[in-house]
Amino acid sequence: MDKIQITGGRQLHGKVNISGAKNAALPLIAASILVNGKTCFTNVPDLMDITSIRLLLEDLGATCKASKGYFEVDGASVKKIEAEYDLVRKMRASILVLGPLVARFGHAKVSMPGGCAIGARPVNMHLSGLEALGVSISIEHGYIEAKAGRLIGNEIYFDMPTVTGTENLMMAATLAKGTSILRNTAREPEIIALADALNKMGAKINGAGTAIITIEGVKKLSSVDIKIIPDRIETGTFMVAAAATGGDILIKGCEPHHSGGLINKLKAAGTIITTSTDSIRIVGNKPIKSVDIKTLPYPGFPTDMQAQFMTLMTIANGNSMIHESIFENRFVHANELLRMGADISISSGNIAMVRGVKRLQAAQVMASDLRASASLVIAGLVAEGTTVISRVYHMDRGYEAIEKKLALLGADIERI
Ligand code: EPU
């Protein structure tokens, strides 16, 4: 099994190009099930999660073609309505095929995604939303079975903003009869990207990016070409890596206004940041100042950047309080950071107190989930000695060629 080996101590310098966003690509690819024809995607990242959704769509009968950065799905050949356990268990985002399948075929059977390393992650709001659209839901033998005639538009209120829940319901409601109003929706840039793509296909969606989305149902959607937006979490990960190493890097091909919550905190930590329309320059500044963060739905500080920011705070001057408010178990990386000499205590489950130390020390550590693996890579970049990270398959789910990009910025990093 692959491992990542990093010898710390080098500052990052140079330019890095950002890949397409995993969390935008996955719902967009799932949306291609709604179309009885081809949907073509560009700027698609080369990631394990993209392979997972491809395998799932192919199993449903879709014809897929892929070459570097390009991905094409012909939804005309989709015949099967069952997403099997073996495919869904590899990636929770597989739940995104539920809305499109039941909206197009009136029937879907999708394996219930289990809990995962960062929390229980229920899908109750996806299911109650579909029920509001006239879908009858039953759960048997680990599968969600959804049955309906044509879906019927309705009002749906989410108890809290859910990203894939909003996406699933938005996709389903595009083919419903009548108007749906989704309230307390997630406002992430990936939601806007999905609404823009669906509108290009012929849907009538208004309000994406706000807490109320209105969808006037249409009878069918058409083939289109879609470019995937840049990955704001990959962007953020490079920003924090530059800040932690005291480097000076230019991040190209990104959307700076998608990273406002993080930029605000990095500036407070003393990092110098300048932005243009599609690039961000980060100049690290030592000593790093300690800053408190609380993760929140967009446009708040992203939970997907919490682990990386925690690593930065381990070497800050002072104490930092990190409050994870989205997921109940997203501090597993803290235990690995402790093994590298960090001083972190976790109180009341979701609050971590990080007391800055002078330096981290290299160690053998284990990645527990995607963003935890990124936090350990950043720790390895600043630690004294050679760190070896195992279980990097978590990282390969969501970061395209991260070790190659970091090596080009001057890091001493290799896959072994
Ligand atoms: N929740 C429920 N019931 C539901 C749905 C969600 O209680 O039916 C809860 C969750 O347990 C959580 C909160 O609502 O406490 C928000 O979860 P959300 O549904 O927004 O998360 P998600 O859609 O499953 C997406 C991203 C995650 C990211 C979260 C939060 C994709 C494919 N995944 O997950 O990305 O952390 O939103 O921003 O878009 C990652 O990329 O590493 C990753 C985990």
Side-chain angles (χ1 to χ4, degrees), residues 25 46 70 82 130 206 256 293 350:
D46 183 9
Y70 177 80
E82 181 172 330
L130 286 174
N206 275 302
I293 59 162
N350 281 0

Side-chain angles (χ1 to χ4, degrees), residues 57 85 87 99 101 120 166 194-195 198 230 247 260 276 284 336 352 362 365 383 394:
L57 289 194
Y85 173 70
L87 295 164
L101 280 175
T166 302
L194 177 62
L198 291 168
S276 75
E336 298 301 289
V365 288
H394 288 295

Side-chain angles (χ1 to χ4, degrees), residues 22-23 26 93 118 121-126 160-165 188 303-304 326-327 330 370-371:
K22 165 180 90 74
N23 289 349
L26 294 172
I118 62 176
R121 303 183 76 182
V123 290
N124 57 309
M125 291 190 275
H126 299 235
M160 66 177 106
T162 157
V163 176
T164 50
E188 271 68 2
T303 174
D304 290 344
I326 307 290
F327 293 111
R330 212 172 193 181
L370 171 57
R371 307 305 170 187

Side-chain angles (χ1 to χ4, degrees), residues 318-350:
N319 301 337
S320 159
M321 197 170 75
I322 300 199
H323 185 168
E324 171 57 59
S325 85
I326 307 290
F327 293 111
E328 66 274 19
N329 189 30
R330 212 172 193 181
F331 282 149
V332 181
H333 48 278
N335 293 323
E336 298 301 289
L337 292 172
L338 286 177
R339 301 188 58 253
M340 297 179 75
D343 183 352
I344 305 168
S345 47
I346 295 172
S347 62
S348 72
N350 281 0

Side-chain angles (χ1 to χ4, degrees), residues 229-310:
I229 60 168
D231 195 312
R232 65 193 165 94
I233 306 302
E234 186 195 19
T235 303
T237 301
F238 279 103
M239 286 168 78
V240 173
T245 61
D248 177 354
I249 69 168
L250 184 68
I251 301 176
K252 294 174 66 184
C254 59
E255 291 272 6
H257 64 280
H258 290 171
S259 298
L262 174 65
I263 288 176
N264 179 38
K265 289 296 180 182
L266 280 174
K267 281 185 174 169
T271 308
I272 299 158
I273 300 179
T274 41
T275 61
S276 75
T277 46
D278 63 352
S279 71
I280 303 177
R281 184 171 171 205
I282 313 273
V283 183
N285 207 0
K286 298 280 172 101
I288 298 160
K289 293 182 198 153
S290 58
V291 179
D292 295 341
I293 59 162
K294 178 176 182 182
T295 64
L296 287 168
Y298 189 86
F301 190 96
T303 174
D304 290 344
M305 284 304 306
Q306 179 260 108
Q308 303 89 315
F309 203 85
M310 182 185 280

Side-chain angles (χ1 to χ4, degrees), residues 378-399:
I378 297 169
L381 291 174
V382 297
E384 271 178 10
T386 300
T387 295
V388 178
I389 306 171
S390 54
R391 301 202 178 163
V392 292
Y393 52 82
H394 288 295
M395 196 170 73
D396 297 334
R397 287 190 37 223
Y399 286 97

